[in-house]
Amino acid sequence: MNAPIAIIGTGLAGLSAAQALHAAGLEVELFDKSRGSGGRMASKRSDAGSLDLGAQYFTARDRRFVEVVQQWQTRGWVAQWEPDLYNARDGQLSASPDEQLRWVGTPRMSAITRALLGALPVHFSCRITEVFRGDRHWNLLDAEGNSHGPFSHVIIATPAPQASALLAAAPKLAGAAASVVMEPTWAVALGFETPLETHVQGCFVQDSSLDWVARNRSKPGRDNRLDTWVLHATSTWSRQHLDLPKEAVIEQLHGTFAELIGCALPPPSFTLAHRWLYARPAQAHQWGALADADLGLYACGDWCLSGRVEGAWLSGQDAARRLLEHQA
């Protein structure tokens, strides 16, 4: 009986690898420190309904990903989002000429990873702190001191700074992961009882503490009891205000949003802030995935490629492919 493969992280990269290995007839076991799957594609349930606080949408350029997104669309996991898009610069709003096809999970972003996870065995609220190898197999240690294993291979699908600590058994891979700089993002959600009188549904913001704003109800399948908006601060502002209390973050970004949106802003009936410590890699890499095939240790994630949702999926596929090729 072969030992299963451990996958640490149930964001899109980890689930992409899990799907590919499962399809090849291998047994996988997943671990995540959060209460649910999705990583930065997770959606937060709140008093204002479900909110996409991380990834806002995604695009598909690579042929393989385009095909898979079309399958997801057929299954009802994703839909096209066609917002009235604007650019904001020098306090002026102008319609964005951007024609790109945008996709969102439906009825929330986390629908994609939830569907991909399906019935695969998973341990949630389980933070893995150490990955170590015995004579023939791998074992994992969690923050509670419990041991998990044995496993034939381990795939680490977490943000780079967390991955580098778990890659200690392969110093070269650990060094590569440690070299990746991840940028933070403060996300704020505001909910209004009366819909705002604006045509804006998505907006790219220049020269501001804000980077992006989106009107949640403009996405297909969303709950629209309240007019909820998600604001993302820039990486620079987020880094400078990393430890600012959430109330102060909400107050500052709410103020910037009020100036930007160009219509009367009633007091929000709902506010929420979330800090993404590792929102995106500062630069793109061309690794695909990191692998020490002889050891049976792999790492994947958007940081191995483009920092985009598509990059996360492709990186997971790459890790699975390398593992399968080495087994063949």
Side-chain angles (χ1 to χ4, degrees), residues 16-231:
S16 169
Q19 280 270 316
L21 295 171
H22 181 68
L26 298 180
E27 204 183 325
V28 296
E29 203 170 313
L30 293 124
F31 297 84
D32 202 294
K33 66 180 175 59
S34 300
R35 291 197 303 264
S37 67
R40 284 160 288 161
M41 285 178 79
S43 305
K44 180 146 181 88
R45 291 179 187 280
S46 74
D47 299 343
S50 187
L51 299 164
D52 302 332
L53 289 180
Q56 293 293 294
Y57 60 83
F58 60 93
T59 57
R61 302 168 196 181
D62 184 283
R63 179 186 50 77
R64 293 162 296 173
F65 191 56
V66 169
E67 281 173 14
V68 106
V69 172
Q70 284 165 348
Q71 290 168 16
W72 294 352
Q73 184 184 23
T74 305
R75 292 173 186 159
W77 305 353
V78 301
Q80 275 183 43
W81 180 39
E82 302 174 57
D84 289 336
L85 265 187
Y86 286 76
N87 291 322
R89 187 192 286 273
D90 303 325
Q92 297 295 310
L93 285 170
S94 58
S96 166
D98 190 314
E99 296 281 299
Q100 197 141 42
L101 198 59
R102 290 176 169 76
W103 296 95
V104 293
T106 173
R108 61 186 74 89
M109 208 50 138
S110 58
I112 301 166
T113 53
R114 187 161 296 170
L116 288 174
L117 180 63
L120 294 174
V122 60
H123 306 261
F124 285 125
S125 303
C126 180
R127 190 164 69 85
I128 300 302
T129 53
E130 209 182 321
V131 175
F132 59 96
R133 197 177 161 84
D135 292 340
R136 296 191 36 238
H137 290 105
W138 289 96
N139 286 280
L140 312 180
L141 196 66
D142 69 26
E144 308 287 307
N146 304 312
S147 182
H148 305 265
F151 298 106
S152 60
H153 307 74
V154 178
I155 297 178
I156 295 161
T158 65
Q162 296 163 339
S164 68
L166 297 173
L167 287 164
K172 226 168 132 182
L173 304 192
S179 75
V180 176
V181 176
M182 298 285 286
E183 300 276 19
T185 297
W186 267 112
V188 163
L190 305 172
F192 302 95
E193 297 286 347
T194 311
L196 302 188
E197 290 184 21
T198 174
H199 294 300
V200 175
Q201 295 178 328
C203 184
F204 299 107
V205 190
Q206 274 88 32
D207 62 32
S208 163
S209 53
L210 285 175
D211 187 41
W212 164 258
V213 306
R215 192 173 211 164
N216 209 50
R217 67 189 335 180
S218 67
K219 295 181 179 180
R222 297 316 192 258
D223 178 336
N224 57 11
R225 280 169 308 163
L226 286 182
D227 187 15
T228 52
W229 291 74
V230 173
L231 325 177

